[in-house]
Every structure is written in structure tokens, then in C-alpha cells.
Amino acid sequence: MSDFGRKDLHEQIGDKLKPDSQKTATEKVGDQATGLYDRAASAIVPDSEKSTTQHAADKMRSGKDETADTGKGIGQSLADGVSGAAQSLADGVKSLTGGK
């Protein structure tokens, strides 16, 4: 179970298990956007207002994020996410238009 507006653990796992090479440009952009939203919600919503499963999922993610983003500020992490989403969208448009 997830908190309002957030992906539940099963959806998050499903997104991670499907290789990027099998995702459409729309799926990639959606994953990045919901990931950014989920990270922001994780940081903003107090633990006391989270469900038990959401709290546990946030703790697991925060450990992973801290390891992956050592030395990066939240602003840079968000900028990287937006940049990646824009690139995925551009790649998708390019593939739909034949690279024009």
C-alpha cells in the first residue's frame, strides 16, 4: 500500500525490473517524473504521517540514494533527473519521426 499520490512498492519494483531497452519514451519519462515526485514526497512528508510500508520503502530508497548521490545536492539530483527526462523525450520523438 502506498500513500496518496505515490507509487506502491509493487509498481516501483515492476518499473525497476523492466529494462529501459523495453520501455517506450513515454514510460521512461513517466518513470523519471514519478521518481522525482516520490523522492520529493519522501523528503517533505513527515514519517509520522506515512504508512508503515511507505516509511519502510522511503528508508530503503534513502539509503540507496545517499550511496548513489554522495556529494550531490538535491538541486543537482533534480537537474539530472529533468535532463534525463528531456533526453528520453527527445530520443522518443526522434525515433517516431525517423531521426529528423
Side-chain angles (χ1 to χ4, degrees):
M1 172 172 230
S2 65
D3 293 346
F4 179 75
R6 299 185 66 188
K7 284 187 174 183
D8 66 26
L9 201 49
H10 291 99
E11 286 180 281
Q12 290 179 26
I13 291 170
D15 289 347
K16 294 293 181 192
L17 290 177
K18 186 174 182 180
D20 282 347
S21 61
Q22 294 179 3
K23 292 181 182 179
T24 65
T26 304
E27 287 176 312
K28 290 177 186 178
V29 170
D31 286 352
Q32 291 177 343
T34 57
L36 287 172
Y37 174 81
D38 202 62
R39 282 183 180 87
S42 170
I44 294 169
V45 176
D47 289 343
S48 62
E49 294 180 20
K50 296 177 186 175
S51 66
T52 304
T53 53
Q54 195 67 65
H55 179 70
D58 288 349
K59 286 294 180 194
M60 286 190 303
R61 172 181 276 166
S62 71
K64 177 183 169 270
D65 288 347
E66 286 172 10
T67 301
D69 293 336
T70 301
K72 257 191 200 181
I74 191 164
Q76 184 61 47
S77 294
L78 288 172
D80 290 349
V82 170
S83 175
Q87 184 61 50
S88 293
L89 184 57
D91 291 346
V93 169
K94 190 185 292 185
S95 71
L96 291 172
T97 60
K100 295 178 182 179

